[in-house]
Amino acid sequence: MGSLLLLLLLLLLSPSYPRGGSAWRRRSARTQGPGGPFPAPPETSAPFWVRISPEFKAVPPGGSVWLNCSSSCPLPEGSSLRTELRRGDTLSGHGWVSYQLLDVRAWSSDVHCFVTCAGETRGATARITAYKQPRSVILEPPVLMGSEYTLRCHVTHVFPVGFLVVILRRGGRVIYSESLERFTGRDLANVTLTYALRARPSDFGQPVTCYARLDLDGLVVLSSSAPMTLPVLAWSPASKALASTSIAALVGILLVVGALCLRKYLSMKSQA
């Protein structure tokens, strides 16, 4: 019995005996990664997002704008911007890059931002528009030329003219509209619309208003003039001259008729 206890004691003290601590250390060594006690995750192309802000921006013609391109990629390999607009300064930080766009004169431009992460490239798109609401819309007082009213409307400092529609309303009814889509200039412009309205008795006292409407692919900008009333007596100089001549002729006819009647009366009285 004593020999058996001695043999067990020698086995426990032997260096080759697999003690619990050594076994735990061996298991720990198998599971320990190069960066710590936990296994490193396998390298995969995890999804990431790319955002551009603002996604929509309207500026006056010739203005500038900053666009910020950001992503969730922890280590982006590169970023870029694709646009036909003129580039200015560039600022960057961790996970974002800001781009300046100068002298925006195209009424609508798409700007594309791209970020590459782990060999994969993703992008986002923003739209930049340039437009100018009319500084003023002025309807001149109507002028009567013969049997027609001349209506003249001025739209000042508007852009883009090619998306402008000028509308004349009498009361709540459209009496004329004209689209200026044939104009493709990239500068602020002044527009004058002249329209001849045939005068009718029912038109007297009716308000007429001029509207300028910019229809920018869903973005509608509307401006209007002060209403002008079609007066009952809106005589032009030519009409006044014609009226004076007609009155003078009528008075002359009445005088002649009166003189003839008086002569006849005197003649009949003398015979009696």
Side-chain angles (χ1 to χ4, degrees):
M1 187 65 178
S3 300
L4 182 58
L5 293 175
L6 181 60
L7 179 60
L8 290 174
L9 183 59
L10 291 175
L11 289 173
L12 290 173
L13 296 177
S14 174
S16 61
Y17 184 80
R19 293 181 293 274
S22 298
W24 180 86
R25 282 193 296 269
R26 284 192 294 271
R27 287 195 300 269
S28 178
R30 286 196 301 270
T31 59
Q32 183 173 348
F38 300 101
E43 292 185 2
T44 59
S45 57
F48 68 100
W49 50 258
V50 177
R51 294 173 183 166
I52 190 168
S53 178
E55 295 182 348
F56 178 85
K57 181 68 175 178
V59 299
S64 62
V65 62
W66 282 90
L67 293 180
N68 184 72
C69 183
S70 59
S71 74
S72 62
C73 179
L75 294 173
E77 299 171 12
S79 63
S80 62
L81 195 74
R82 189 175 69 194
T83 178
E84 295 181 355
L85 301 174
R86 186 158 66 91
R87 299 262 299 267
D89 296 332
T90 301
L91 302 175
S92 61
H94 181 68
W96 61 270
V97 181
S98 288
Y99 303 93
Q100 185 185 31
L101 303 176
L102 303 173
D103 195 25
V104 180
R105 294 192 178 274
W107 89 266
S108 180
S109 301
D110 287 337
V111 181
H112 307 277
C113 166
F114 298 97
V115 175
T116 301
C117 183
E120 182 180 359
T121 300
R122 297 190 177 189
T125 301
R127 173 161 292 187
I128 308 300
T129 64
Y131 76 91
K132 176 65 171 63
Q133 186 172 359
R135 176 182 296 174
S136 61
V137 180
I138 302 172
L139 179 62
E140 293 184 5
V143 176
L144 183 62
M145 302 292 292
S147 62
E148 292 182 337
Y149 281 107
T150 298
L151 304 176
R152 185 169 288 108
C153 179
H154 304 279
V155 183
T156 65
H157 287 77
V158 60
F159 177 86
V161 180
F163 290 83
L164 178 68
V165 179
V166 181
I167 304 168
L168 290 173
R169 285 181 176 268
R170 180 185 55 211
R173 178 187 172 193
V174 175
I175 57 177
Y176 183 73
S177 67
E178 183 172 343
S179 173
L180 303 179
E181 58 186 359
R182 63 187 180 274
F183 294 97
T184 59
R186 293 192 173 188
D187 296 319
L188 290 171
N190 299 323
V191 176
T192 298
L193 172 70
T194 302
Y195 178 69
L197 173 66
R198 182 170 294 277
R200 300 179 303 177
S202 60
D203 292 332
F204 297 146
Q206 290 287 327
V208 177
T209 308
C210 180
Y211 293 86
R213 187 183 73 194
L214 282 173
D215 193 349
L216 306 173
D217 285 353
L219 174 64
V220 178
V221 181
L222 188 64
S223 305
S224 67
S225 70
M228 300 296 296
T229 301
L230 296 174
V232 176
L233 298 175
W235 297 94
S236 66
S239 299
K240 290 180 179 179
L242 179 61
S244 300
T245 303
S246 300
I247 293 173
L250 179 61
V251 170
I253 293 173
L254 292 175
L255 289 174
V256 170
V257 171
L260 290 175
C261 290
L262 179 60
R263 183 177 179 182
K264 184 176 181 180
Y265 171 76
L266 294 175
S267 175
M268 291 175 63
K269 188 175 181 181
S270 62
Q271 291 178 1

